[in-house]
mmCIF file of all heavy atoms in Angstrom:
data_model
loop_
_atom_site.group_PDB
_atom_site.id
_atom_site.type_symbol
_atom_site.label_atom_id
_atom_site.label_comp_id
_atom_site.label_asym_id
_atom_site.label_seq_id
_atom_site.Cartn_x
_atom_site.Cartn_y
_atom_site.Cartn_z
ATOM 1 N N ALA A 1206 9.802 -4.720 7.791
ATOM 2 C CA ALA A 1206 8.338 -4.680 7.749
ATOM 3 C C ALA A 1206 7.770 -5.061 6.378
ATOM 4 O O ALA A 1206 6.553 -5.216 6.240
ATOM 5 C CB ALA A 1206 7.845 -3.284 8.137
ATOM 6 N N TRP A 1207 8.626 -5.230 5.376
ATOM 7 C CA TRP A 1207 8.137 -5.432 4.020
ATOM 8 C C TRP A 1207 7.409 -6.764 3.825
ATOM 9 O O TRP A 1207 6.344 -6.796 3.187
ATOM 10 C CB TRP A 1207 9.286 -5.280 3.017
ATOM 11 C CG TRP A 1207 8.964 -5.696 1.606
ATOM 12 C CD1 TRP A 1207 9.616 -6.611 0.853
ATOM 13 C CD2 TRP A 1207 7.897 -5.214 0.773
ATOM 14 N NE1 TRP A 1207 9.052 -6.733 -0.389
ATOM 15 C CE2 TRP A 1207 7.990 -5.878 -0.464
ATOM 16 C CE3 TRP A 1207 6.882 -4.274 0.951
ATOM 17 C CZ2 TRP A 1207 7.102 -5.658 -1.518
ATOM 18 C CZ3 TRP A 1207 5.984 -4.056 -0.095
ATOM 19 C CH2 TRP A 1207 6.105 -4.729 -1.307
ATOM 20 N N PRO A 1208 7.910 -7.898 4.316
ATOM 21 C CA PRO A 1208 7.221 -9.157 4.020
ATOM 22 C C PRO A 1208 5.745 -9.154 4.414
ATOM 23 O O PRO A 1208 4.895 -9.631 3.648
ATOM 24 C CB PRO A 1208 8.023 -10.190 4.817
ATOM 25 C CG PRO A 1208 9.401 -9.611 4.887
ATOM 26 C CD PRO A 1208 9.171 -8.138 5.049
ATOM 27 N N ALA A 1209 5.421 -8.599 5.570
ATOM 28 C CA ALA A 1209 4.016 -8.569 6.001
ATOM 29 C C ALA A 1209 3.185 -7.668 5.104
ATOM 30 O O ALA A 1209 2.047 -8.012 4.735
ATOM 31 C CB ALA A 1209 3.921 -8.100 7.457
ATOM 32 N N TYR A 1210 3.763 -6.521 4.729
ATOM 33 C CA TYR A 1210 2.997 -5.612 3.876
ATOM 34 C C TYR A 1210 2.874 -6.171 2.464
ATOM 35 O O TYR A 1210 1.816 -6.061 1.831
ATOM 36 C CB TYR A 1210 3.617 -4.213 3.858
ATOM 37 C CG TYR A 1210 2.678 -3.166 3.311
ATOM 38 C CD1 TYR A 1210 1.488 -2.871 3.963
ATOM 39 C CD2 TYR A 1210 2.961 -2.477 2.128
ATOM 40 C CE1 TYR A 1210 0.600 -1.923 3.465
ATOM 41 C CE2 TYR A 1210 2.085 -1.531 1.626
ATOM 42 C CZ TYR A 1210 0.909 -1.255 2.296
ATOM 43 O OH TYR A 1210 0.029 -0.320 1.795
ATOM 44 N N GLU A 1211 3.921 -6.807 1.979
ATOM 45 C CA GLU A 1211 3.849 -7.425 0.640
ATOM 46 C C GLU A 1211 2.761 -8.494 0.607
ATOM 47 O O GLU A 1211 1.989 -8.581 -0.365
ATOM 48 C CB GLU A 1211 5.199 -8.033 0.248
ATOM 49 C CG GLU A 1211 5.152 -8.665 -1.137
ATOM 50 C CD GLU A 1211 6.474 -9.249 -1.588
ATOM 51 O OE1 GLU A 1211 7.237 -9.732 -0.746
ATOM 52 O OE2 GLU A 1211 6.730 -9.219 -2.809
ATOM 53 N N ALA A 1212 2.688 -9.302 1.655
ATOM 54 C CA ALA A 1212 1.654 -10.337 1.700
ATOM 55 C C ALA A 1212 0.262 -9.714 1.658
ATOM 56 O O ALA A 1212 -0.647 -10.226 0.974
ATOM 57 C CB ALA A 1212 1.821 -11.176 2.963
ATOM 58 N N ALA A 1213 0.096 -8.590 2.356
ATOM 59 C CA ALA A 1213 -1.205 -7.910 2.358
ATOM 60 C C ALA A 1213 -1.524 -7.319 0.988
ATOM 61 O O ALA A 1213 -2.679 -7.360 0.535
ATOM 62 C CB ALA A 1213 -1.215 -6.820 3.424
ATOM 63 N N LEU A 1214 -0.519 -6.775 0.306
ATOM 64 C CA LEU A 1214 -0.733 -6.246 -1.047
ATOM 65 C C LEU A 1214 -1.154 -7.370 -1.995
ATOM 66 O O LEU A 1214 -2.059 -7.197 -2.823
ATOM 67 C CB LEU A 1214 0.541 -5.581 -1.570
ATOM 68 C CG LEU A 1214 0.979 -4.270 -0.919
ATOM 69 C CD1 LEU A 1214 2.342 -3.836 -1.463
ATOM 70 C CD2 LEU A 1214 -0.050 -3.156 -1.143
ATOM 71 N N LYS A 1215 -0.503 -8.528 -1.875
ATOM 72 C CA LYS A 1215 -0.853 -9.668 -2.732
ATOM 73 C C LYS A 1215 -2.286 -10.113 -2.470
ATOM 74 O O LYS A 1215 -3.056 -10.354 -3.411
ATOM 75 C CB LYS A 1215 0.122 -10.819 -2.480
ATOM 76 C CG LYS A 1215 1.494 -10.612 -3.088
ATOM 77 C CD LYS A 1215 2.394 -11.804 -2.807
ATOM 78 C CE LYS A 1215 3.742 -11.634 -3.500
ATOM 79 N NZ LYS A 1215 4.666 -12.752 -3.182
ATOM 80 N N THR A 1216 -2.646 -10.207 -1.199
ATOM 81 C CA THR A 1216 -3.999 -10.619 -0.842
ATOM 82 C C THR A 1216 -5.037 -9.655 -1.406
ATOM 83 O O THR A 1216 -6.112 -10.063 -1.856
ATOM 84 C CB THR A 1216 -4.148 -10.708 0.685
ATOM 85 O OG1 THR A 1216 -3.226 -11.692 1.175
ATOM 86 C CG2 THR A 1216 -5.559 -11.080 1.101
ATOM 87 N N ALA A 1217 -4.682 -8.349 -1.405
ATOM 88 C CA ALA A 1217 -5.611 -7.320 -1.884
ATOM 89 C C ALA A 1217 -5.603 -7.181 -3.399
ATOM 90 O O ALA A 1217 -6.403 -6.427 -3.961
ATOM 91 C CB ALA A 1217 -5.262 -5.981 -1.238
ATOM 92 N N GLY A 1218 -4.703 -7.881 -4.072
ATOM 93 C CA GLY A 1218 -4.643 -7.795 -5.529
ATOM 94 C C GLY A 1218 -4.072 -6.487 -6.047
ATOM 95 O O GLY A 1218 -4.358 -6.082 -7.181
ATOM 96 N N VAL A 1219 -3.247 -5.831 -5.240
ATOM 97 C CA VAL A 1219 -2.649 -4.557 -5.644
ATOM 98 C C VAL A 1219 -1.543 -4.815 -6.671
ATOM 99 O O VAL A 1219 -0.755 -5.762 -6.532
ATOM 100 C CB VAL A 1219 -2.073 -3.823 -4.413
ATOM 101 C CG1 VAL A 1219 -1.321 -2.552 -4.832
ATOM 102 C CG2 VAL A 1219 -3.191 -3.482 -3.426
ATOM 103 N N ARG A 1220 -1.486 -3.981 -7.678
ATOM 104 C CA ARG A 1220 -0.405 -4.060 -8.662
ATOM 105 C C ARG A 1220 0.825 -3.369 -8.081
ATOM 106 O O ARG A 1220 0.781 -2.171 -7.769
ATOM 107 C CB ARG A 1220 -0.810 -3.362 -9.959
ATOM 108 C CG ARG A 1220 -1.934 -4.060 -10.730
ATOM 109 C CD ARG A 1220 -2.509 -3.149 -11.797
ATOM 110 N NE ARG A 1220 -3.209 -2.011 -11.198
ATOM 111 C CZ ARG A 1220 -3.480 -0.881 -11.838
ATOM 112 N NH1 ARG A 1220 -3.080 -0.700 -13.082
ATOM 113 N NH2 ARG A 1220 -4.141 0.082 -11.228
ATOM 114 N N TYR A 1221 1.907 -4.103 -7.931
ATOM 115 C CA TYR A 1221 3.114 -3.486 -7.371
ATOM 116 C C TYR A 1221 4.344 -4.155 -7.965
ATOM 117 O O TYR A 1221 4.316 -5.315 -8.385
ATOM 118 C CB TYR A 1221 3.139 -3.607 -5.842
ATOM 119 C CG TYR A 1221 3.466 -4.990 -5.343
ATOM 120 C CD1 TYR A 1221 4.790 -5.364 -5.081
ATOM 121 C CD2 TYR A 1221 2.467 -5.946 -5.171
ATOM 122 C CE1 TYR A 1221 5.093 -6.643 -4.660
ATOM 123 C CE2 TYR A 1221 2.761 -7.230 -4.754
ATOM 124 C CZ TYR A 1221 4.086 -7.574 -4.492
ATOM 125 O OH TYR A 1221 4.394 -8.850 -4.092
ATOM 126 N N THR A 1222 5.418 -3.398 -8.001
ATOM 127 C CA THR A 1222 6.739 -3.923 -8.338
ATOM 128 C C THR A 1222 7.690 -3.409 -7.269
ATOM 129 O O THR A 1222 7.659 -2.217 -6.922
ATOM 130 C CB THR A 1222 7.211 -3.433 -9.720
ATOM 131 O OG1 THR A 1222 6.234 -3.782 -10.701
ATOM 132 C CG2 THR A 1222 8.549 -4.039 -10.085
ATOM 133 N N ALA A 1223 8.519 -4.297 -6.734
ATOM 134 C CA ALA A 1223 9.473 -3.904 -5.696
ATOM 135 C C ALA A 1223 10.883 -4.259 -6.147
ATOM 136 O O ALA A 1223 11.116 -5.347 -6.692
ATOM 137 C CB ALA A 1223 9.147 -4.598 -4.383
ATOM 138 N N HIS A 1224 11.795 -3.328 -5.935
ATOM 139 C CA HIS A 1224 13.201 -3.550 -6.274
ATOM 140 C C HIS A 1224 14.051 -3.282 -5.040
ATOM 141 O O HIS A 1224 13.872 -2.263 -4.364
ATOM 142 C CB HIS A 1224 13.660 -2.607 -7.387
ATOM 143 C CG HIS A 1224 12.949 -2.794 -8.684
ATOM 144 N ND1 HIS A 1224 13.165 -3.878 -9.521
ATOM 145 C CD2 HIS A 1224 12.018 -2.022 -9.315
ATOM 146 C CE1 HIS A 1224 12.399 -3.763 -10.592
ATOM 147 N NE2 HIS A 1224 11.696 -2.654 -10.495
ATOM 148 N N GLN A 1225 14.977 -4.182 -4.758
ATOM 149 C CA GLN A 1225 15.966 -3.948 -3.708
ATOM 150 C C GLN A 1225 17.332 -3.833 -4.372
ATOM 151 O O GLN A 1225 17.691 -4.653 -5.216
ATOM 152 C CB GLN A 1225 15.956 -5.089 -2.686
ATOM 153 C CG GLN A 1225 16.815 -4.786 -1.460
ATOM 154 C CD GLN A 1225 16.676 -5.832 -0.371
ATOM 155 O OE1 GLN A 1225 17.533 -6.701 -0.226
ATOM 156 N NE2 GLN A 1225 15.598 -5.759 0.388
ATOM 157 N N TYR A 1226 18.071 -2.810 -3.986
ATOM 158 C CA TYR A 1226 19.350 -2.491 -4.632
ATOM 159 C C TYR A 1226 20.487 -2.965 -3.725
ATOM 160 O O TYR A 1226 20.771 -2.355 -2.690
ATOM 161 C CB TYR A 1226 19.419 -0.987 -4.931
ATOM 162 C CG TYR A 1226 18.311 -0.564 -5.864
ATOM 163 C CD1 TYR A 1226 17.027 -0.284 -5.388
ATOM 164 C CD2 TYR A 1226 18.513 -0.516 -7.242
ATOM 165 C CE1 TYR A 1226 15.990 0.054 -6.245
ATOM 166 C CE2 TYR A 1226 17.485 -0.182 -8.112
ATOM 167 C CZ TYR A 1226 16.227 0.103 -7.601
ATOM 168 O OH TYR A 1226 15.196 0.434 -8.459
ATOM 169 N N ALA A 1227 21.094 -4.069 -4.113
ATOM 170 C CA ALA A 1227 22.047 -4.769 -3.248
ATOM 171 C C ALA A 1227 23.205 -3.865 -2.837
ATOM 172 O O ALA A 1227 23.765 -3.127 -3.656
ATOM 173 C CB ALA A 1227 22.590 -6.000 -3.977
ATOM 174 N N GLY A 1228 23.527 -3.934 -1.553
ATOM 175 C CA GLY A 1228 24.689 -3.210 -1.039
ATOM 176 C C GLY A 1228 24.484 -1.737 -0.796
ATOM 177 O O GLY A 1228 25.401 -1.058 -0.340
ATOM 178 N N THR A 1229 23.283 -1.216 -1.106
ATOM 179 C CA THR A 1229 23.058 0.227 -0.948
ATOM 180 C C THR A 1229 22.543 0.558 0.454
ATOM 181 O O THR A 1229 21.965 -0.281 1.144
ATOM 182 C CB THR A 1229 22.050 0.743 -1.976
ATOM 183 O OG1 THR A 1229 20.806 0.051 -1.801
ATOM 184 C CG2 THR A 1229 22.563 0.533 -3.394
ATOM 185 N N GLN A 1230 22.750 1.808 0.836
ATOM 186 C CA GLN A 1230 22.310 2.312 2.130
ATOM 187 C C GLN A 1230 20.971 3.040 1.998
ATOM 188 O O GLN A 1230 20.627 3.555 0.926
ATOM 189 C CB GLN A 1230 23.350 3.311 2.682
ATOM 190 C CG GLN A 1230 24.758 2.768 2.774
ATOM 191 C CD GLN A 1230 24.925 1.719 3.849
ATOM 192 O OE1 GLN A 1230 24.342 1.828 4.929
ATOM 193 N NE2 GLN A 1230 25.711 0.691 3.566
ATOM 194 N N HIS A 1231 20.245 3.125 3.098
ATOM 195 C CA HIS A 1231 19.067 3.997 3.162
ATOM 196 C C HIS A 1231 19.486 5.387 2.680
ATOM 197 O O HIS A 1231 20.513 5.908 3.093
ATOM 198 C CB HIS A 1231 18.578 4.076 4.612
ATOM 199 C CG HIS A 1231 17.342 4.888 4.789
ATOM 200 N ND1 HIS A 1231 16.075 4.344 4.710
ATOM 201 C CD2 HIS A 1231 17.167 6.207 5.035
ATOM 202 C CE1 HIS A 1231 15.177 5.291 4.907
ATOM 203 N NE2 HIS A 1231 15.816 6.432 5.102
ATOM 204 N N GLY A 1232 18.693 5.980 1.797
ATOM 205 C CA GLY A 1232 19.046 7.292 1.255
ATOM 206 C C GLY A 1232 19.928 7.232 0.020
ATOM 207 O O GLY A 1232 20.478 8.258 -0.394
ATOM 208 N N PHE A 1233 20.026 6.061 -0.608
ATOM 209 C CA PHE A 1233 20.984 5.920 -1.720
ATOM 210 C C PHE A 1233 20.669 6.816 -2.903
ATOM 211 O O PHE A 1233 21.523 7.074 -3.743
ATOM 212 C CB PHE A 1233 21.089 4.461 -2.174
ATOM 213 C CG PHE A 1233 19.893 3.931 -2.919
ATOM 214 C CD1 PHE A 1233 19.723 4.178 -4.271
ATOM 215 C CD2 PHE A 1233 18.930 3.165 -2.273
ATOM 216 C CE1 PHE A 1233 18.612 3.695 -4.965
ATOM 217 C CE2 PHE A 1233 17.826 2.664 -2.948
ATOM 218 C CZ PHE A 1233 17.670 2.939 -4.300
ATOM 219 N N ASN A 1234 19.425 7.293 -3.028
ATOM 220 C CA ASN A 1234 19.096 8.164 -4.167
ATOM 221 C C ASN A 1234 19.486 9.616 -3.927
ATOM 222 O O ASN A 1234 19.527 10.408 -4.866
ATOM 223 C CB ASN A 1234 17.592 8.099 -4.452
ATOM 224 C CG ASN A 1234 17.228 8.817 -5.733
ATOM 225 O OD1 ASN A 1234 17.517 8.343 -6.824
ATOM 226 N ND2 ASN A 1234 16.587 9.987 -5.614
ATOM 227 N N ASN A 1235 19.758 9.971 -2.685
ATOM 228 C CA ASN A 1235 20.050 11.375 -2.346
ATOM 229 C C ASN A 1235 21.515 11.668 -2.662
ATOM 230 O O ASN A 1235 22.428 11.242 -1.949
ATOM 231 C CB ASN A 1235 19.750 11.617 -0.868
ATOM 232 C CG ASN A 1235 19.883 13.077 -0.484
ATOM 233 O OD1 ASN A 1235 20.664 13.811 -1.072
ATOM 234 N ND2 ASN A 1235 19.132 13.496 0.508
ATOM 235 N N ASP A 1236 21.731 12.405 -3.743
ATOM 236 C CA ASP A 1236 23.092 12.622 -4.229
ATOM 237 C C ASP A 1236 23.832 13.735 -3.497
ATOM 238 O O ASP A 1236 24.877 14.189 -3.943
ATOM 239 C CB ASP A 1236 23.094 12.888 -5.735
ATOM 240 C CG ASP A 1236 22.044 13.895 -6.177
ATOM 241 O OD1 ASP A 1236 21.367 14.478 -5.312
ATOM 242 O OD2 ASP A 1236 21.895 14.091 -7.399
ATOM 243 N N THR A 1237 23.336 14.175 -2.353
ATOM 244 C CA THR A 1237 24.028 15.203 -1.574
ATOM 245 C C THR A 1237 24.855 14.604 -0.446
ATOM 246 O O THR A 1237 25.543 15.344 0.268
ATOM 247 C CB THR A 1237 23.027 16.211 -0.957
ATOM 248 O OG1 THR A 1237 22.286 15.579 0.096
ATOM 249 C CG2 THR A 1237 22.083 16.751 -2.005
#
């Protein structure tokens, strides 16, 4: 769903930075 939302953020002039962490799974920050 990100490409459509990113395009909308760009159109709206929202300040954003997006990072994708290669090879990681959903929940990669949860150290449990």
Side-chain angles (χ1 to χ4, degrees):
W1207 170 236
Y1210 196 63
E1211 181 178 33
L1214 290 174
K1215 285 181 176 177
T1216 299
V1219 174
R1220 292 166 293 160
Y1221 75 91
T1222 304
H1224 297 287
Q1225 189 173 101
Y1226 299 83
T1229 60
Q1230 305 290 322
H1231 183 90
F1233 72 82
N1234 188 72
N1235 186 331
D1236 46 5
T1237 71

